[in-house]
């Protein structure tokens, strides 16, 4: 367990260890290669990064997907997951075993040479798309993600609508809202998810004739580039204290880390994507770090009894809570 001065440790706040539930979700980070370099990216992905899944680890992951029917969801992330080795191999392995596939897409990847087939490919494989659109206003999106990203994102969403996303029941298109990074100690949690979803839907249908299914509000956790930004502004500890002050015990039951395994491109196992980025590996009951190879050798996904926690866990438990599927309560 990691600790941070001037904050109550997360386990002390809970007054009990955070326990794991049976694993139903496999989240795989295929690598750090991406066509964007967003200023809030906790993965610190960019076009300059080259780290990605190897054929050996990809083969192990495919075996894992086939071996364990209790895995209901295979959640593919990155970087831009689509740019990294093994992406389509993993999509097809998961669909062949009747698992739901989620791809966490930045939308602009569809306009990069070599990736123009993705919208149709996703529709063909009934991939659920969770797409980053941190605001419905162009200036805010371009500030966070780069010039022109908003316009490309709108074109991509219209493209997805044309192939059936947002309309057909098996073609789910969800959007992700992230708050702007704070410039001073006037911190804020994400707005109420249901109301913001209605605002997004009205704006996008009125202005661009775009439809989507769900909006997920996700808190900026002080990890990766967000952490570096907060440290530069001398806001890191105040932000953690703000998150702790809004701790909501009602979120703990629903935390995503409790029923998922997060796998990195080297085959190491973590409780969640944030622990992966902070190099806080999951451990079995003997205190050993886990790998995909060890899960296969044990023929068991449920080797972890206690989730590894850190101060940034307050980001997932503040207010209405935050997860890869949005608010928790």
């Amino acid at each position: 367990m990691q600790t941070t001065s001037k904050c109550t440790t997360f386990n002390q706040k809970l007054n009990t260890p955070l326990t794991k539930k049976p694993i139903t979700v496999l989240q795989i980070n295929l690598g750090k290669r991406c066509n964007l370099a967003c200023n809030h990216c906790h993965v610190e992905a960019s076009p300059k990064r080259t780290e990605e899944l190897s054929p050996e680890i990809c083969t192990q992951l495919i075996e894992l997907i086939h071996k364990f029917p209790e895995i209901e969801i295979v959640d593919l992330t990155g970087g831009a997951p689509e740019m990294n080795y093994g992406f389509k191999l993993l999509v097809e392995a998961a669909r062949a075993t009747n698992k739901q596939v989620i791809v966490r897409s930045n939308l602009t990847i569809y306009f990069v040479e070599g990736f123009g087939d993705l919208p149709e490919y996703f529709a063909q494989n009934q991939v659920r798309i969770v797409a980053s659109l941190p605001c419905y206003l162009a200036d805010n999106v371009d500030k966070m993600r780069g010039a022109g990203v908003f316009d490309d994102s709108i074109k991509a969403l219209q493209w997805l609508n044309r192939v059936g996303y947002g309309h057909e029941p098996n073609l789910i298109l969800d959007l992700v809202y992230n708050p702007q990074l704070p410039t001073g100690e006037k911190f804020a949690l994400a707005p109420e998810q249901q109301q913001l979803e209605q605002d997004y839907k009205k704006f996008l249908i009125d202005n661009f004739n775009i439809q989507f299914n769900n909006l997920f509000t996700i808190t900026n956790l002080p990890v990766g580039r967000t952490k570096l930004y907060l440290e530069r502004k001398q806001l890191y500890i105040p932000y953690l204290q703000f998150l702790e002050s809004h701790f909501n015990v009602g979120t703990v039951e629903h935390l995503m880390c409790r029923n998922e395994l997060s796998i990195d491109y080297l085959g190491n196992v973590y409780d969640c994507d944030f622990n992966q980025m902070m190099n806080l590996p999951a451990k079995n009951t003997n205190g050993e770090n886990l790998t995909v190879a060890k899960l296969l050798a044990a023929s068991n996904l449920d080797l972890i009894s206690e989730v590894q926690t850190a101060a940034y866990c307050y980001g997932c438990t503040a207010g209405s809570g935050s997860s890869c599927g949005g608010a928790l309560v």
Side-chain angles (χ1 to χ4, degrees), residues 8 24 29 35 45 91 103 117 129-130 135-136 155 191 197 206 233 239-240 253 265-266 273 283 303 309:
T8 310
T24 58
N29 189 304
N35 60 307
V91 168
V103 58
D117 67 320
I129 299 171
V130 178
C135 185
Y136 54 73
K155 289 175 195 164
E197 178 179 297
D206 288 352
K233 297 279 189 180
Y239 185 59
L240 281 174
E253 175 66 22
Y265 60 92
L266 297 171
D273 197 41
K283 297 182 182 294
L303 299 178
T309 64

Side-chain angles (χ1 to χ4, degrees), residues 26-84:
L26 194 64
Q27 187 175 70
I28 304 167
N29 189 304
L30 282 81
K32 297 181 185 286
R33 190 191 305 273
C34 189
N35 60 307
L36 300 178
C38 302
N39 65 15
H40 64 298
C41 180
H42 69 279
V43 181
E44 299 181 69
S46 83
K48 295 179 180 176
R49 302 299 292 262
T50 58
E51 305 96 316
E52 68 177 340
L53 199 64
S54 68
E56 178 191 5
I57 301 301
C58 184
T59 299
Q60 291 178 7
L61 287 166
I62 289 169
E63 185 179 348
L64 200 74
I65 288 166
H66 280 275
K67 189 168 188 171
F68 294 101
E70 60 264 42
I71 298 171
E72 297 170 4
I73 298 170
V74 176
D75 185 343
L76 302 176
T77 183
E82 305 99 324
M83 291 185 81
N84 291 275

Side-chain angles (χ1 to χ4, degrees), residues 107 131 133 153-161 173 175 204 210:
L107 296 173
L133 192 72
S153 298
I154 291 299
K155 289 175 195 164
L157 291 170
Q158 291 169 331
W159 189 350
L160 291 170
N161 277 179
L173 173 60
L175 301 183
L204 292 175
I210 288 170

Side-chain angles (χ1 to χ4, degrees), residues 14-307:
L14 292 184
N15 204 28
T16 180
L18 185 62
T19 54
K20 208 78 166 172
K21 296 179 179 180
I23 298 302
T24 58
V25 179
L26 194 64
Q27 187 175 70
I28 304 167
N29 189 304
L30 282 81
K32 297 181 185 286
R33 190 191 305 273
C34 189
N35 60 307
L36 300 178
C38 302
N39 65 15
H40 64 298
C41 180
H42 69 279
V43 181
E44 299 181 69
S46 83
K48 295 179 180 176
R49 302 299 292 262
T50 58
E51 305 96 316
E52 68 177 340
L53 199 64
S54 68
E56 178 191 5
I57 301 301
C58 184
T59 299
Q60 291 178 7
L61 287 166
I62 289 169
E63 185 179 348
L64 200 74
I65 288 166
H66 280 275
K67 189 168 188 171
F68 294 101
E70 60 264 42
I71 298 171
E72 297 170 4
I73 298 170
V74 176
D75 185 343
L76 302 176
T77 183
E82 305 99 324
M83 291 185 81
N84 291 275
Y85 178 83
F87 174 73
K88 288 186 176 179
L89 294 172
L90 292 168
V91 168
E92 286 153 29
R95 293 303 296 137
T97 50
N98 294 313
K99 302 181 195 308
Q100 183 183 59
V101 179
I102 295 173
V103 58
R104 299 193 178 267
S105 181
N106 67 32
L107 296 173
T108 64
I109 184 67
Y110 312 154
F111 304 107
V112 174
E113 187 177 353
F115 298 97
D117 67 320
L118 285 173
E120 287 78 8
Y121 176 81
F122 290 159
Q124 180 186 344
N125 287 280
Q126 297 184 353
V127 172
R128 182 171 188 165
I129 299 171
V130 178
S132 180
L133 192 72
C135 185
Y136 54 73
L137 300 177
D139 284 354
N140 287 345
V141 171
D142 287 359
K143 223 178 274 182
M144 291 178 81
R145 312 192 65 208
V149 168
F150 180 80
D151 286 346
D152 279 351
S153 298
I154 291 299
K155 289 175 195 164
L157 291 170
Q158 291 169 331
W159 189 350
L160 291 170
N161 277 179
R162 285 196 300 274
V163 299
Y165 277 95
H167 308 287
E168 296 180 19
N170 292 326
L171 299 180
I172 306 298
L173 173 60
D174 301 322
L175 301 183
V176 172
Y177 165 88
N178 293 94
Q180 297 286 303
L181 293 178
T183 55
E185 290 195 27
K186 193 177 177 184
F187 304 123
L189 297 174
E192 198 276 323
Q193 184 168 282
Q194 282 185 316
Q195 181 57 55
L196 188 61
E197 178 179 297
Q198 294 312 309
D199 295 343
Y200 261 71
K201 284 186 170 179
K202 184 175 189 319
F203 185 88
L204 292 175
I205 195 74
D206 288 352
N207 290 276
F208 304 107
N209 198 31
I210 288 170
Q211 291 182 267
F212 68 95
N213 295 91
N214 308 288
L215 180 74
F216 299 150
T217 56
I218 297 185
T219 301
N220 288 321
L221 264 70
V223 170
R225 284 198 192 114
T226 297
K227 182 183 182 207
L228 294 171
Y229 169 87
L230 292 168
E231 287 174 336
R232 280 199 307 275
K233 297 279 189 180
Q234 298 185 313
L235 295 172
Y236 176 64
I237 295 297
Y239 185 59
L240 281 174
Q241 292 170 334
F242 166 79
L243 294 174
E244 182 189 350
S245 73
H246 288 80
F247 173 74
N248 178 0
V249 70
T251 63
V252 174
E253 175 66 22
H254 309 291
L255 286 170
M256 64 182 182
C257 56
R258 302 190 69 183
N259 70 328
E260 81 166 22
L261 297 178
S262 171
I263 314 290
D264 71 9
Y265 60 92
L266 297 171
N268 300 307
V269 178
Y270 303 82
D271 292 304
C272 72
D273 197 41
F274 301 112
N275 280 0
Q276 182 182 144
M277 296 312 133
M278 296 300 286
N279 196 27
L280 188 61
K283 297 182 182 294
N284 65 15
T285 50
N286 296 324
E288 300 168 335
N289 293 356
L290 285 175
T291 64
V292 176
K294 288 179 182 177
L295 295 173
L296 288 169
S299 292
N300 188 356
L301 293 178
D302 298 306
L303 299 178
I304 304 163
S305 60
E306 186 177 326
V307 174

